[in-house]
């Protein structure tokens, strides 16, 4: 039964349909679902744009499913058609149109957000079953307020869906200890590109389980994930310390992430900033509280054009005394060689710490930069090459900043599962690098083009120099580049595609495979 078709079925449809040669009438007849189907302007409004703001693509229709059967219905309708594709859309926070389907069906996963929320306990520990379309911020709030529990591994920003981050990896300051979010789920419900609804885990349908994790939406649509939980702490001591030398920054960061569980901080990240008073890229971005001042006279004369900041957090309970927390912090901080006098710290509730980027979102929404394009570049760079990367990229190409955070911090490969579809550089330690560019509202279109060109220059430099790196949220235009990206994992990726999405229906916006005729 088609419960509801948006009234405005119009001109735009002709355009979207012309891409696939598909008429909406034809498709709607074969779509047997309980949820809503939106087309025309309503569909384009939901699914025609993303956070990157650099792609604008018209879908044929947006499906707002009630549950997995509706999603399977959309996939099966696409399988029966000549050319139709299907993209799951989480919260549309991709940069390069990865959740779009030109002339295809976009499945709005947010409409299924509340289908699952069940906490359970097994001998291995507590877990929560959540919907693939649920936002991590809602998972956090409910787990903490109703059970005093919380997932272990987070992204910095939580306005992202469970299925969206699991399709990539989901990396943040806890990943050095627990691995990315893909290492913290034990079971999934998936609608495959062949239209099957399958439960999978490490023990059951394990090849599908690992394919989908980090699978860029290519093999199946995640409708439920079982996420591991731990007791939530009450409070967090949040600390930033400044370095002038990259090798001292990396040595301390690597030491911290290599300590045994429980004997280090609970969160370790880092970023590069400009050695100057620029309010967006320089000293003012470091202090954690309006009462803190960054005093540049503390910096040695020899400081260069950019500086480095380690960002650390320690969890504790309300029942822990101040002196116990101080002792734990000093025992670790005492070993680090940051610039004395450039240490900032605050204490805040655990949930507020995890929601810290929400404040930045609110500010960016007020000043308009949440809506302008975001030509972001994310990479994983091996420990072997991170020094060279610093010399060329941070100290030269990006020495004036990128209009937003420039993250760089180490991760441990042994915390990642090799069987997922994610590809990483070689070696146990590698760095995540994120150039999170924000564009002022007054900027000309050419400035966005320059930023995109600089991203390309960085990637090309990495390739030319033989830097051991992988793009995170990869975006390539040619098959050759995808083959290079996956390296010796390419044939496994292709085999998985043949097995679970044999007609190449799913996530066409990744531009890896073409829909089979
Ligand atoms: P979408 O952009 O909607 O989708 C991404 C891809 O996944 C698409 O190919 C889509 O088809 C597919 N997909 C979506 N849902 C499903 C599903 N249920 N099943 C299968 N495939 C699906 N990432 C980090 O790792 N760490 C961070 O700290 C971090 N911070 C961020 C901060 C901001 C402000 C933003 C905008 C992004 C950040 N990201 C971070 C990146 C984020 O993880 C990715 O952009 C992610 O894809 C966004 O999730 P989404 O729910 O919006 O997915």
């Amino acid at each position: 039964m088609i419960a509801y078709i948006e009234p405005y079925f119009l001109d735009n449809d002709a355009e979207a349909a012309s891409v696939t040669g598909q008429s909406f009438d034809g498709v709607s007849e074969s779509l047997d679902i309980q949820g809503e189907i939106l087309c025309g302007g309503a569909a384009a409004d939901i699914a025609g744009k993303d956070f990157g703001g650099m792609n604008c693509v018209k879908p044929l229709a947006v499906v707002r499913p009630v549950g997995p059967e509706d999603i399977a219905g959309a996939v099966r309708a696409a399988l029966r058609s000549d050319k139709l594709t299907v993209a799951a859309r989480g919260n549309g926070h991709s940069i390069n149109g990865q959740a779009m389907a030109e002339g295809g069906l976009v499945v709005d996963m947010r409409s299924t957000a509340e289908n699952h929320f069940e906490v359970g306990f097994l001998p291995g520990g507590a877990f929560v079953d959540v919907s693939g379309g649920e936002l991590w911020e809602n998972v956090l709030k409910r787990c903490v307020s109703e059970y005093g529990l919380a997932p272990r591994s987070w992204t910095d920003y939580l306005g992202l869906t469970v299925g969206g981050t699991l399709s990539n990896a989901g990396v943040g300051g806890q990943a050095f200890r627990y691995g990315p979010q893909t290492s913290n789920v034990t079971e999934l419900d998936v609608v495959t590109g062949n239209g099957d609804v399958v439960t999978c885990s490490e023990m059951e349908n394990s090849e599908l389980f690992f394919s989908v994790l980090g699978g860029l939406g290519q093999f199946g649509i995640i409708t439920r994930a079982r996420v591991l939980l731990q007791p939530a702490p009450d409070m967090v001591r949040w600390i930033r310390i400044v370095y002038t030398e990259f090798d001292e920054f990396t040595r301390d960061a690597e030491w911290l992430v290599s300590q045994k569980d429980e004997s280090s901080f609970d969160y370790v990240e880092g970023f590069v900033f400009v050695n100057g008073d620029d309010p967006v890229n320089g000293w003012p971005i470091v202090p954690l509280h309006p009462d803190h001042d960054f005093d540049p006279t503390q910096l040695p004369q020899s400081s260069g054009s950019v500086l480095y900041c380690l960002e650390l957090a320690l969890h504790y309970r309300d029942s822990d005394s101040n002196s116990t927390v101080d002792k734990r912090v000093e025992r670790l901080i005492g070993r680090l060689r940051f610039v004395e006098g450039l240490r900032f710290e605050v204490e805040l509730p655990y949930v507020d710490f995890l929601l810290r980027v929400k404040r930045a979102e609110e500010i960016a929404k007020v000043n308009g930069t949440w809506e302008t394009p975001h030509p972001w570049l994310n990479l994983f760079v091996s420990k072997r090459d991170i020094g060279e990367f610093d010399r060329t990229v941070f100290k030269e190409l990006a020495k004036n900043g990128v209009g937003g955070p420039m993250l760089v911090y180490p991760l441990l490969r042994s915390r990642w599962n090799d069987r997922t579809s994610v590809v990483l550089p070689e070696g146990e330690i590698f760095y995540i690098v994120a150039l999170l560019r924000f564009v002022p509202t007054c900027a000309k279109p050419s400035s966005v083009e320059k930023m995109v060109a600089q991203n390309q220059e960085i990637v090309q430099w990495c390739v030319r120099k033989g830097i051991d790196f992988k793009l995170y949220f990869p975006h390539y235009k040619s098959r050759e580049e995808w083959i290079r990206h996956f390296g010796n994992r390419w044939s496994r990726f292709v085999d998985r595609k043949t097995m679970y999405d044999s007609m190449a229906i799913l996530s066409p916006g990744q531009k890896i495979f073409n829909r089979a005729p």
Side-chain angles (χ1 to χ4, degrees):
M1 178 194 89
I2 299 167
Y4 174 52
I5 293 195
E6 263 293 297
Y8 32 99
F9 166 57
L10 21 104
D11 311 329
N12 283 346
D13 301 338
E15 204 179 312
S18 71
V19 175
T20 53
Q22 201 76 48
S23 89
F24 179 76
D25 282 339
V27 172
S28 70
E29 270 162 30
S30 80
L31 259 178
D32 181 17
I33 68 164
Q34 290 189 9
E36 290 180 65
I37 303 168
L38 311 177
C39 53
D45 281 351
I46 296 176
K49 292 174 284 189
D50 63 14
F51 183 78
M54 295 174 292
N55 288 264
C56 183
V57 155
K58 289 198 177 72
L60 182 65
V62 167
V63 174
R64 309 197 75 200
V66 165
E69 280 309 325
D70 277 1
I71 299 173
V75 171
R76 288 181 203 133
L79 285 167
R80 283 192 298 272
S81 77
D82 290 342
K83 294 179 183 159
L84 212 55
T85 54
V86 177
R89 185 178 198 275
N91 210 22
H93 278 50
S94 290
I95 297 301
N96 291 294
Q98 285 96 332
M100 295 181 186
E102 192 170 12
L105 300 178
V106 173
V107 179
D108 178 7
M109 295 302 292
R110 297 285 296 119
S111 71
T112 64
E114 287 171 15
N115 286 11
H116 300 277
F117 185 86
E118 199 171 340
V119 168
F121 300 89
L122 283 171
F127 65 82
V128 61
D129 282 336
V130 288
S131 291
E134 182 56 293
L135 298 182
W136 282 105
E137 64 183 56
N138 295 336
V139 176
L140 169 71
K141 287 177 192 161
R142 283 196 71 177
C143 286
V144 174
S145 66
E146 294 175 28
Y147 296 91
L149 297 168
R152 311 185 306 181
S153 184
W154 295 99
T155 49
D156 293 341
Y157 170 69
L158 307 189
L160 310 166
T161 64
V162 170
T165 66
L166 292 178
S167 299
N168 287 290
V171 178
Q174 303 82 8
F176 74 96
R177 177 172 299 160
Y178 298 112
Q181 291 179 319
T182 45
S183 296
N184 289 276
V185 289
T186 58
E187 190 178 282
L188 302 172
D189 285 344
V190 170
V191 177
T192 69
N194 298 333
D196 301 319
V197 183
V198 184
T199 298
C200 56
S201 66
E202 199 164 347
M203 309 302 285
E204 184 187 3
N205 299 308
S206 66
E207 188 61 17
L208 177 63
F209 180 70
F210 288 115
S211 300
V212 166
L213 294 172
L216 308 176
Q218 293 303 300
F219 311 110
I221 298 180
I222 300 167
T223 58
R224 177 186 62 95
R226 180 163 287 184
V227 181
L228 295 174
L229 299 175
Q230 65 184 5
D234 299 310
M235 296 290 291
V236 166
R237 175 84 58 97
W238 183 14
I239 303 168
R240 285 181 177 168
I241 49 182
V242 171
Y243 292 78
T244 58
E245 304 305 318
F246 190 64
D247 56 352
E248 289 179 357
F249 164 82
T250 54
R251 192 195 44 222
D252 282 356
E254 288 175 19
W255 180 77
L256 286 169
V257 301
S258 307
Q259 295 307 294
K260 283 211 182 70
D261 286 2
E262 315 302 325
S263 56
S264 186
F265 286 101
D266 296 294
Y267 163 103
V268 177
E269 288 202 6
F271 61 91
V272 187
F273 62 103
V274 171
N275 189 3
D277 60 3
D278 178 318
V280 177
N281 301 293
W283 306 323
I285 67 171
V286 179
L288 288 167
H289 191 275
D291 292 346
H292 295 164
D293 262 338
F294 187 103
D295 176 7
T297 63
Q298 303 288 336
L299 291 167
Q301 292 282 315
S302 57
S303 310
S305 57
V306 293
L307 302 169
Y308 310 92
C309 181
L310 259 186
E311 179 172 79
L312 312 163
L314 192 79
H315 296 167
Y316 62 93
R317 307 214 61 104
D318 284 337
S319 54
D320 291 329
S321 71
N322 269 349
S323 66
T324 315
V325 180
D326 287 346
K327 256 191 229 147
R328 281 168 62 200
V329 168
E330 294 316 318
R331 189 180 57 76
L332 289 162
I333 285 261
R335 310 260 318 228
L336 309 180
R337 292 197 213 153
F338 55 95
V339 180
E340 237 175 278
L342 292 178
R343 165 176 168 177
F344 305 89
E345 56 189 85
V346 290
E347 298 184 86
L348 73 175
Y350 172 68
V351 171
D352 293 359
F353 172 71
L354 289 179
L355 292 175
R356 64 200 179 280
V357 180
K358 191 126 192 122
R359 178 87 194 102
E361 174 183 356
E362 284 159 9
I363 294 168
K365 280 186 172 159
V366 170
N367 71 28
T369 58
W370 196 256
E371 307 305 331
T372 53
H374 301 99
W376 287 9
L377 180 67
N378 287 268
L379 316 96
F380 297 129
V381 179
S382 70
K383 167 181 158 77
R384 184 196 76 185
D385 293 332
I386 196 67
E388 198 171 348
F389 190 93
D390 168 60
R391 284 189 291 281
T392 301
V393 178
F394 295 139
K395 289 200 173 81
E396 291 298 331
L397 292 171
K399 68 173 178 228
N400 297 320
V402 296
M406 295 194 282
L407 307 184
V408 55
Y409 58 90
L411 296 165
L412 304 180
R413 195 189 167 109
S414 51
R415 302 286 196 265
W416 297 58
N417 194 317
D418 244 13
R419 289 184 67 193
T420 69
S421 294
V422 184
V423 284
L424 299 174
E426 294 300 320
E428 168 63 355
I429 296 181
F430 62 95
Y431 282 76
I432 180 163
V433 173
L435 305 184
L436 308 180
R437 303 171 187 272
F438 281 78
V439 178
T441 45
C442 57
K444 295 194 187 113
S446 62
S447 64
V448 178
E449 284 159 25
K450 275 189 200 141
M451 292 180 188
V452 172
Q454 193 180 61
N455 288 344
Q456 282 164 353
E457 187 184 350
I458 293 169
V459 174
Q460 280 158 10
W461 172 81
C462 287
V463 172
R464 228 179 23 252
K465 283 285 173 185
I467 298 290
D468 182 14
F469 82 105
K470 296 290 177 194
L471 285 189
Y472 181 40
F473 314 114
H475 163 61
Y476 291 116
K477 292 201 173 109
S478 72
R479 174 59 67 95
E480 290 66 38
E481 287 168 308
W482 279 112
I483 294 173
R484 189 186 66 215
H485 173 77
F486 283 105
N488 60 12
R489 299 290 162 86
W490 172 244
S491 59
R492 183 181 74 175
F493 201 78
V494 173
D495 290 348
R496 288 175 165 182
K497 189 72 175 173
T498 311
M499 207 169 351
Y500 300 118
D501 181 21
S502 51
M503 302 292 281
I505 299 284
L506 295 179
S507 277
Q510 298 279 4
K511 297 195 164 47
I512 308 175
F513 300 102
N514 292 323
R515 164 75 160 91

